[in-house]
Amino acid sequence: MRLSDCIPGKKAKVIDLMVNPTYKKRILDLGMLPGTEVQIVRKAPFGGPIVVQLRGYQVSIRMTEAKNIEIESVS
């Protein structure tokens, strides 16, 4: 499952980051490491950015990058 497919309010765990190396470093610097639990807070309409909560703070990322972040659902 991809982060872009996750429903707001659901929790998931990051499995893999399949983004370009420059953006991958940025994502890792923000704390989105494999194994990190994330929760989608909201999605902007028309393919806009999504707000993700992780480690007690929120970050906004582009939908195009969220499509390259693999996650698994956490119950």
Side-chain angles (χ1 to χ4, degrees):
M1 175 187 238
R2 303 303 167 117
L3 185 61
S4 59
D5 300 330
C6 193
I7 299 169
K10 292 277 190 175
K11 291 185 178 182
K13 186 167 52 172
V14 176
I15 300 299
D16 193 15
L17 304 170
M18 298 171 287
V19 296
N20 71 53
T22 304
Y23 194 73
K24 185 174 186 175
K25 181 177 182 334
R26 174 78 175 132
I27 292 290
L28 292 173
D29 288 344
L30 290 172
M32 193 178 290
L33 306 168
T36 303
E37 189 171 297
V38 296
Q39 181 178 18
I40 301 294
V41 176
R42 66 181 157 268
K43 291 181 175 180
F46 309 113
I50 63 173
V51 178
V52 181
Q53 178 153 351
L54 64 142
R55 301 180 186 264
Y57 56 89
Q58 297 179 349
V59 297
S60 180
I61 62 173
R62 295 182 191 105
M63 184 62 82
T64 54
E65 276 82 22
K67 289 179 180 176
N68 295 320
I69 299 173
E70 187 174 346
I71 60 169
E72 70 178 11
S73 293
V74 174
S75 52

